[in-house]
Amino acid sequence: MRKQRKRGGSVMTIPALASTRVAAAPAAVVEVTSGRLRHQINHDIHHELGTIALLASLLSSADDIGPDSRQRARQIVDETQWLSELVRAFEESVSEQARPGPVAAEPTRLDVIAAEVVAAVGLSTSTRVRVEASEAWARVDRLAFWRALRNLVDNAVRAAGPPGDVEVEVGVVGPWAVAQVDDSGPGFGAVPAGRSSLGLGIAGDLAKASGGELAIGDSVLGGCRVLIRLPASCLP
């Protein structure tokens, strides 16, 4: 079929576009393309995290900022490192080669991680967050412990609110390395579960996988107390 269109008094004959049908890509091709895209995006995420960490590192050593800003910049570096580990763990979990296996336990300083968690949360909230920690070692998945404690502290901060208090204690009690989080909120079950229940699930999974236990009770601050008990280990 040909169409006619007038131009400057003359008639132009334009060939009509032929209709075409694109065949659907085979499922196998779609899967390969999807996997390749996921790999590329993962690469770009790590690249951007590296850029953020580098910029924050340069800022932390700059001469034209004060000590508070220097501390915040260093904290950004630490947070991007944790985020990079989270992204890597997520990519491994969705990989086609991923297989259920034992927890990647290693000797871990729980008190050091607790200090990092409190430092990060304390800079991002008006809730008073304090930590009291003594040296405590446990054989545990380092990233899993950070995730569990970070969720518990975040839950406590939300429960306590801006005028409230959160206290984190880490130490060794008998055969256990203990991480305890107290808050001055309304108490367990008094607020909608929401993300709190997910955080408790993450902490519970860590305790179970590491041969420990999770306990929930009343806090001396008036709110909730959550404890993670893990088998204490000697120095590596």
Side-chain angles (χ1 to χ4, degrees):
M1 180 179 179
R2 303 176 70 85
K3 296 182 180 179
Q4 290 185 334
R5 185 174 67 188
K6 289 186 177 181
R7 181 181 179 183
S10 61
V11 177
M12 294 179 59
T13 302
I14 304 174
L17 293 175
S19 61
T20 59
R21 177 176 298 176
V22 179
V29 175
V30 174
E31 289 178 3
V32 171
T33 303
S34 176
R36 182 175 179 179
L37 177 61
R38 185 174 66 242
H39 178 73
Q40 291 172 343
I41 292 176
N42 181 62
H43 167 272
D44 291 345
I45 290 173
H46 282 290
H47 181 271
E48 291 304 309
L49 287 173
T51 301
I52 293 171
L54 176 59
L55 292 173
S57 180
L58 292 173
L59 179 62
S60 69
S61 59
D63 297 329
D64 56 348
I65 63 172
D68 290 343
S69 296
R70 196 179 309 279
Q71 180 185 4
R72 295 187 184 98
R74 289 171 180 165
Q75 197 60 53
I76 291 173
V77 175
D78 291 341
E79 289 297 288
T80 53
Q81 290 174 346
W82 284 115
L83 184 55
S84 181
E85 290 191 38
L86 278 174
V87 172
R88 187 174 292 107
F90 175 77
E91 179 66 15
E92 291 175 356
S93 73
V94 299
S95 170
E96 293 179 0
Q97 288 75 37
R99 294 289 186 275
V103 175
E106 59 181 339
T108 301
R109 280 282 300 270
L110 306 187
D111 54 302
V112 171
I113 294 180
E116 292 183 17
V117 167
V118 171
V121 175
L123 289 173
S124 58
T125 180
S126 57
T127 303
R128 291 178 293 275
V129 186
R130 297 182 293 273
V131 61
E132 182 176 337
S134 57
E135 186 172 341
W137 290 83
R139 288 192 63 84
V140 67
D141 183 311
R142 178 175 174 273
L143 179 61
F145 178 75
W146 175 84
R147 291 176 56 223
L149 188 61
R150 181 62 181 262
N151 272 278
L152 294 184
V153 174
D154 284 343
N155 289 350
V157 166
R158 285 194 295 272
D165 293 275
V166 172
E167 293 183 355
V168 179
E169 294 185 36
V170 174
V172 177
V173 181
W176 300 106
V178 178
Q180 174 179 299
V181 181
D182 287 88
D183 68 67
S184 61
F188 184 72
V191 294
R195 289 178 292 177
S196 298
S197 60
L198 181 59
L200 288 173
I202 292 171
D205 290 344
L206 164 76
K208 182 178 179 181
S210 305
E213 59 186 22
L214 180 72
I216 303 173
D218 296 328
S219 169
V220 294
L221 298 180
C224 182
R225 167 176 290 176
V226 183
L227 297 90
I228 302 176
R229 295 189 183 98
L230 302 170
S233 67
C234 300
L235 301 180

